[in-house]
Amino acid sequence: MEEEEEAIGFLDKVLEDEDVFLLEECELGTPTSPGSGSPFLVAVKVEAGKGLEMRKLVLSGFLASEEIYINQLEALLLPMKPLKATATTSQPVLTIQQIETIFYKIQDIYEIHKEFYDNLCPKVQQWDSQVTMGHLFQKLASQLGVYKAFVDNYKVALETAEKCSQSNNQFQKISEELKVKGPKDSKDSHTSVTMEALLYKPIDRVTRSTLVLHDLLKHTPVDHPDYPLLQDALRISQNFLSSINEDIDPRRTAVTTPKGETRQLVKDGFLVEMSESSRKLRHVFLFTDVLLCAKLKKTSAGKHQQYDCKWYIPLADLVFPSPEESEASPQVHPFPDHELEDMKMKISALKSEIQKEKANKGQSRAIERLKKKMFENEFLLLLNSPTIPFRIHNRNGKSYLFLLSSDYERSEWREAIQKLQKKDLQAFVLSSVELQVLTGSCFKLRTVHNIPVTSNKDDDESPGLYGFLHVIVHSAKGFKQSANLYCTLEVDSFGYFVSKAKTRVFRDTTEPKWDEEFEIELEGSQSLRILCYEKCYDKTKVNKDNNEIVDKIMGKGQIQLDPQTVETKNWHTDVIEMNGIKVEFSMKFTSRDMSLKRTPSKKQTGVFGVKISVVTKRERSKVPYIVRQCVEEVEKRGIEEVGIYRISGVATDIQALKAVFDANNKDILLMLSDMDINAIAGTLKLYFRELPEPLLTDRLYPAFMEGIALSDPAAKENCMMHLLRSLPDPNLITFLFLLEHLKRVAEKEPINKMSLHNLATVFGPTLLRPSEVESKAHLTSAADIWSHDVMAQVQVLLYYLQHPPISFAELKRNTLYFSTDV
């Protein structure tokens, strides 16, 4: 009996035991630390050194993750010995058969990886060009048969563990809080992980090893002795992965109903729901026969997280109300644009502060505090930015309304649901126990683990592209009948997708040829989406949630914006295939630092790239003719255009207008009257952007930056007015002329959706950005330039836009002296 009590006592304490397994110490060093003799720092060995250093970096990262993996396997094995000891007593927690099923092959996998780690560690530690380790990876790959046995048993192991948890409280406690030892350098000594999560780790590990083999091969010379060994290891790993992938996925994403049927998770993601007139972030789960809307419960630290079901609809009862069927509902009031822009500015500033803290090796507590603030702002932006309604209805009762930021996303959800509804589905009602089991399964089955904000990204994830993407939408083929067709372009920024450009409607055709070019600003973007629509002119088909006519999506597609592909001077042509439709497009990318440069025109005869004083003197005018004509045309027929100055005009139209203004062509007025209004707005922005010096001048730029930062309102007023008086007359008169125009545009904000803040965001950098961006040591990336300079530029223009009317005569009369050395 003493032995039995000892075993049970040990089992109770097993979660707190810190010293049962010890991993041998192995210092990897810091590969890029100064003075380490890293090949990165030796200029003479650039090519060979870089490859060698990259191999070491890849291996060091893999070795660190291998340590974590071994710790996870140890944590899984930790309760096995005491469980076996109790199995032969009168009070067994589990039977020997159950133990062997749950922990099947874990000991073997642990020993394989421990041996691999112990052999690889000293090689990385004593790294040089002669080190070989291909044989270690080849041996690891040759032992994948053990993993095959583990995979074949995986489903049974999970089911056994789940049943044992339900029938035995002691085992449930053990399986919910296994203690995993943290890495050597980590401040966290242990983390709590569920047994189910740990049982999936071996499957996850094969994928990780295969990716590492890819990276190693990329940086290993073909004539290196490791190359054929790594190739062989990669071939074995890939074959193994392809043989088990089909088996693994259903096991991860399925839950068994009480009747023994498999309920598969098809899609899940975070959506904003309008609930009782307020926005709520929900996690929505689409199973093969039911749509479930949940929210994550608040739990105390260390506790297992769970979802709380808000509502569910069996797919047999789910319908999408057509526009004419849907009832009129209270209008969804969009969040004020200027507040969304303020959030973006705060996020960019916080991102910049975090980068500075990391560069200066700041305290982790300070960085965590900044990350928390950034998450709060990103969360608010994610919650308040979506405006596209997605309504679903339960034919037995209530309707539910989601708000999405992208029509692409709305289409994905609708199509996924409609595809499942083609099957023979039965209506049902879940009992409270069934609902509890289904909701409980959501946490382990979910495929989207984090809210899509950048503060949830790992440090080594791509920050995305900052700058301008030029896209030409050429043509489309594959339509079965003639229709009125157009395309829209969406890119992601700040964790969600937004529509950035739209082609003209090509009427009554099966092969539209748009050949339209757009310039799209990217803010940390990683993907481009193209959607092809059929234009609907039937006014009865109005969505009552936002009073907009619903056009039919004919096809949609998405591509990743790979920096290596798009960051070239040449156009890259590609085709997106969507539902049998092929859309041809070309693109090229200009980074933000390149786009910040102003290039003076070599010829002084035109107006673009020519000093404003030269143009006004030549024209004998106070305001350049191009500015007057574009403003007049916008006020005549574009002042109520939604997104005027924000929506991209067709680049080819803008270039055509630029050419006629440069040539002072007599057909300018006729061309302006026929041209799309967004192209005219784009031409005006391009004129100011291509000035060899900003309208508010290089000389005064530092003073504007310091003036807007003043806290005292009276001092700021004196300074900002004095700076205007200090401008050359042509610059000042043109600026005041543009200022009054932008104020008139903002008066139509309820219709055109362009607030003063929106206009300041569009025009601020255009009117203030210096001709040469000085190299600033504290700015480490294009995102930094955006957050520091642009915020201030926007605030300067916004100050003047919000100011009571300013007249040239009054400014010149007021001779109050105020030094520009602010």
Side-chain angles (χ1 to χ4, degrees):
M1 282 298 288
E2 269 185 39
E3 189 183 317
E4 184 179 317
E5 284 172 14
E6 198 175 296
I8 293 168
F10 180 68
L11 190 59
D12 286 335
K13 292 179 181 177
V14 78
L15 300 175
E16 295 161 17
D17 196 324
E18 298 183 8
D19 302 308
V20 178
F21 292 92
L22 286 170
L23 195 66
E24 288 178 23
E25 290 293 307
C26 174
E27 293 301 324
L28 301 179
T30 309
T32 53
S33 58
S36 65
S38 163
F40 274 138
L41 306 176
V42 184
V44 239
K45 299 180 180 175
V46 178
E47 287 309 316
K50 189 183 282 187
L52 186 66
E53 184 68 16
M54 283 307 297
R55 290 178 77 212
K56 184 185 177 186
L57 288 172
V58 170
L59 285 170
S60 298
F62 182 61
L63 208 52
S65 70
E66 189 75 359
E67 180 193 349
I68 293 166
Y69 179 48
I70 291 169
N71 288 346
Q72 290 165 341
L73 293 172
E74 286 175 346
L76 202 49
L77 288 170
L78 192 58
M80 189 172 76
K81 190 176 178 181
L83 282 169
K84 277 185 175 178
T86 64
T88 55
T89 67
S90 60
Q91 294 181 33
V93 176
L94 302 181
T95 65
I96 287 288
Q97 189 180 356
Q98 287 170 330
I99 294 165
E100 287 178 350
T101 302
I102 293 169
F103 298 96
Y104 186 66
K105 294 294 179 185
I106 299 294
Q107 184 70 44
D108 294 344
I109 291 171
Y110 168 76
E111 286 168 6
I112 288 168
H113 282 269
K114 185 70 171 67
E115 183 189 358
F116 172 77
Y117 179 91
D118 290 344
N119 288 327
L120 183 61
C121 191
K123 288 181 178 289
V124 178
Q125 190 179 4
Q126 296 149 19
W127 186 253
D128 62 40
S129 58
Q130 304 307 310
V131 167
T132 59
M133 43 66 207
H135 60 289
L136 297 179
F137 279 93
Q138 191 185 41
K139 184 179 178 183
L140 188 66
S142 70
Q143 294 169 309
L144 284 172
V146 177
Y147 274 90
K148 181 75 173 89
F150 173 84
V151 168
D152 290 340
N153 181 70
Y154 175 66
K155 187 177 181 181
V156 185
L158 275 188
E159 287 173 352
T160 306
E162 200 166 331
K163 283 174 187 171
C164 292
S165 286
Q166 289 168 359
S167 59
N168 189 299
N169 288 336
Q170 202 172 2
F171 182 71
Q172 183 183 19
K173 186 184 174 188
I174 292 168
S175 64
E176 282 190 353
E177 290 194 20
L178 287 172
K179 292 277 193 294
V180 178
K181 195 166 66 209
K184 289 186 295 290
D185 300 332
S186 170
K187 291 177 184 175
D188 301 322
S189 58
H190 286 85
T191 52
S192 291
V193 185
T194 65
M195 182 174 287
E196 187 182 344
L198 289 178
L199 281 171
Y200 185 70
K201 296 298 177 186
I203 293 171
D204 216 19
R205 194 67 196 162
V206 184
T207 310
R208 177 69 189 262
S209 303
T210 309
L211 293 173
V212 168
L213 284 166
H214 266 294
D215 290 340
L216 280 175
L217 269 172
K218 199 188 297 179
H219 299 291
T220 302
V222 181
D223 57 355
H224 193 283
D226 273 346
Y227 194 86
L229 301 175
L230 292 171
Q231 259 190 328
D232 190 44
L234 180 61
R235 178 185 57 78
I236 297 168
S237 299
Q238 284 177 326
N239 289 343
F240 175 75
L241 265 184
S242 59
S243 72
I244 66 165
N245 268 345
E246 288 179 13
D247 296 331
I248 296 167
D249 286 346
R251 294 173 191 177
R252 278 197 80 197
T253 60
V255 62
T256 308
T257 66
K259 293 177 184 175
E261 298 161 349
T262 301
R263 177 176 281 140
Q264 195 99 4
L265 178 66
V266 177
K267 181 178 174 63
D268 69 299
F270 290 96
L271 298 181
V272 174
E273 184 190 11
M274 284 301 292
S275 175
E276 297 170 357
S277 302
S278 65
R279 293 168 180 251
K280 307 283 185 187
L281 193 67
R282 306 292 195 211
H283 200 149
V284 181
F285 295 85
L286 175 62
F287 290 92
T288 36
D289 61 346
V290 64
L291 184 77
L292 185 142
C293 178
K295 77 164 191 174
L296 206 55
K297 284 183 185 174
K298 286 182 181 175
T299 52
S300 52
K303 290 287 181 183
H304 183 60
Q305 284 188 301
Q306 285 291 339
Y307 281 100
D308 180 24
C309 175
K310 302 308 293 181
W311 50 264
Y312 73 92
I313 306 177
L315 296 191
D317 292 329
L318 189 152
V319 289
F320 298 108
S322 63
E324 53 269 25
E325 289 170 346
S326 61
E327 302 164 14
S329 58
Q331 281 286 295
V332 176
H333 295 293
F335 208 66
D337 280 335
H338 68 274
E339 291 189 33
L340 293 176
E341 291 299 331
D342 281 345
M343 285 180 207
K344 289 180 185 179
M345 292 295 185
K346 279 180 193 168
I347 292 163
S348 296
L350 287 163
K351 198 181 290 184
S352 180
E353 282 185 59
I354 291 166
Q355 286 171 345
K356 268 197 266 179
E357 283 286 337
K358 284 180 179 174
N360 298 333
K361 296 193 168 49
Q363 291 185 346
S364 58
R365 197 176 292 175
I367 292 171
E368 286 309 310
R369 199 162 49 243
L370 288 169
K371 278 187 174 179
K372 188 183 175 189
K373 268 192 197 173
M374 185 166 142
F375 175 84
E376 287 166 0
N377 278 282
E378 285 192 302
F379 181 84
L380 281 172
L381 186 62
L382 198 68
L383 194 65
N384 291 301
S385 55
T387 56
I388 296 173
F390 176 49
R391 186 176 288 280
I392 53 175
H393 182 68
N394 186 335
R395 66 172 87 247
N396 298 322
K398 201 174 171 188
S399 279
Y400 302 94
L401 177 63
F402 293 109
L403 296 176
L404 284 69
S405 62
S406 151
D407 206 7
Y408 191 103
E409 192 182 359
R410 175 168 65 177
S411 174
E412 276 188 323
W413 278 99
R414 188 189 292 267
E415 285 170 15
I417 292 168
Q418 288 172 335
K419 186 178 177 183
L420 293 170
Q421 287 180 323
K422 288 177 182 173
K423 298 173 185 174
D424 183 24
L425 296 171
Q426 302 296 316
F428 57 84
V429 176
L430 293 173
S431 70
S432 58
V433 174
E434 287 172 335
L435 183 58
Q436 194 175 348
V437 170
L438 181 61
T439 309
S441 73
C442 289
F443 189 80
K444 63 186 178 185
L445 297 179
R446 62 188 180 160
T447 61
V448 180
H449 294 265
N450 294 317
I451 296 168
V453 292
T454 52
S455 44
N456 276 337
K457 280 187 180 181
D458 294 333
D459 289 344
D460 58 353
E461 283 189 63
S462 166
L465 295 170
Y466 288 83
F468 292 91
L469 185 70
H470 300 263
V471 182
I472 302 174
V473 183
H474 295 295
S475 58
K477 291 179 181 176
F479 297 98
K480 290 176 182 170
Q481 57 189 47
S482 292
N484 303 313
L485 302 164
Y486 70 93
C487 285
T488 64
L489 307 178
E490 294 181 353
V491 293
D492 57 317
S493 68
F494 295 94
Y496 60 94
F497 279 82
V498 283
S499 185
K500 286 282 193 174
K502 178 180 172 182
T503 68
R504 67 185 185 278
V505 178
F506 214 101
R507 288 177 176 267
D508 197 22
T509 182
T510 55
E511 292 192 3
K513 290 183 172 61
W514 295 285
D515 288 321
E516 293 184 60
E517 184 184 336
F518 302 94
E519 182 184 78
I520 297 170
E521 187 169 9
L522 304 182
E523 299 167 282
S525 308
Q526 294 179 315
S527 303
L528 168 71
R529 289 172 170 178
I530 299 183
L531 295 94
C532 193
Y533 291 85
E534 179 182 359
K535 182 71 180 169
C536 175
Y537 293 102
D538 184 352
K539 291 185 179 178
T540 62
K541 295 191 174 177
V542 170
N543 189 323
K544 294 190 173 64
D545 288 313
N546 62 358
N547 280 336
E548 289 182 10
I549 293 176
V550 181
D551 294 336
K552 182 183 176 185
I553 294 180
M554 304 297 286
K556 63 187 190 308
Q558 174 172 316
I559 58 158
Q560 293 301 112
L561 295 175
D562 175 18
Q564 290 181 333
T565 306
V566 296
E567 283 185 332
T568 62
K569 292 180 181 177
N570 303 321
W571 287 94
H572 170 72
T573 303
D574 207 341
V575 172
I576 282 188
E577 294 199 34
M578 40 175 95
N579 300 354
I581 299 162
K582 293 182 179 179
V583 176
E584 187 184 346
F585 67 99
S586 300
M587 61 182 178
K588 67 177 179 179
F589 171 73
T590 310
S591 63
R592 192 180 291 286
D593 55 339
M594 288 300 294
S595 67
L596 289 174
K597 293 177 182 173
R598 293 178 183 269
T599 48
S601 173
K602 289 174 184 173
K603 59 181 194 302
Q604 291 293 299
T605 51
V607 292
F608 281 82
V610 179
K611 282 185 178 180
I612 199 164
S613 56
V614 172
V615 172
T616 51
K617 188 175 180 181
R618 186 203 309 145
E619 293 178 355
R620 296 177 185 173
S621 63
K622 292 180 177 178
V623 175
Y625 178 69
I626 182 174
V627 177
R628 285 181 281 128
Q629 288 307 127
C630 288
V631 163
E632 186 181 317
E633 202 63 35
V634 168
E635 293 198 1
K636 190 191 298 179
R637 59 188 178 92
I639 205 158
E640 294 187 353
E641 181 82 9
V642 174
I644 188 71
Y645 290 121
R646 183 178 57 78
I647 299 289
S648 300
V650 177
T652 41
D653 290 348
I654 293 171
Q655 291 304 317
L657 280 171
K658 177 183 176 181
V660 296
F661 274 113
D662 266 341
N664 196 18
N665 193 304
K666 61 181 188 314
D667 295 329
I668 287 176
L669 292 178
L670 182 64
M671 197 170 174
L672 278 173
S673 62
D674 286 343
M675 194 63 78
D676 174 64
I677 200 64
N678 287 316
I680 294 168
T683 304
L684 182 63
K685 289 190 292 181
L686 184 68
Y687 169 72
F688 286 117
R689 199 161 74 214
E690 290 196 356
L691 282 174
E693 169 179 74
L695 187 64
L696 299 189
T697 73
D698 284 329
R699 180 177 64 88
L700 295 175
Y701 181 74
F704 276 114
M705 293 299 98
E706 292 179 39
I708 198 64
L710 292 172
S711 303
D712 179 58
K716 185 184 280 189
E717 167 77 6
N718 281 342
C719 176
M720 299 302 277
M721 289 305 113
H722 176 72
L723 288 171
L724 284 188
R725 282 194 298 279
S726 305
L727 286 169
D729 282 1
N731 298 57
L732 175 57
I733 295 168
T734 302
F735 178 67
L736 295 177
F737 177 80
L738 181 66
L739 209 58
E740 291 311 306
H741 164 64
L742 296 179
K743 286 181 181 181
R744 287 191 290 274
V745 171
E747 285 171 7
K748 299 286 184 181
E749 184 193 351
I751 303 166
N752 63 30
K753 313 294 184 198
M754 292 301 289
S755 62
L756 288 174
H757 196 287
N758 276 353
L759 292 163
T761 304
V762 171
F763 275 95
T766 303
L767 301 179
L768 278 126
R769 188 186 67 238
S771 33
E772 286 184 26
V773 178
E774 297 168 15
S775 60
K776 300 175 184 178
H778 66 284
L779 296 182
T780 55
S781 70
D784 279 338
I785 296 170
W786 166 254
S787 59
H788 282 85
D789 293 2
V790 176
M791 274 174 73
Q793 292 160 10
V794 169
Q795 290 305 316
V796 168
L797 182 54
L798 188 59
Y799 179 85
Y800 291 122
L801 283 170
Q802 291 173 337
H803 197 280
I806 307 164
S807 83
F808 178 78
E810 279 180 29
L811 272 175
K812 289 298 181 182
R813 265 201 307 273
N814 187 346
T815 54
L816 174 67
Y817 178 78
F818 196 95
S819 169
T820 53
D821 299 327
V822 187

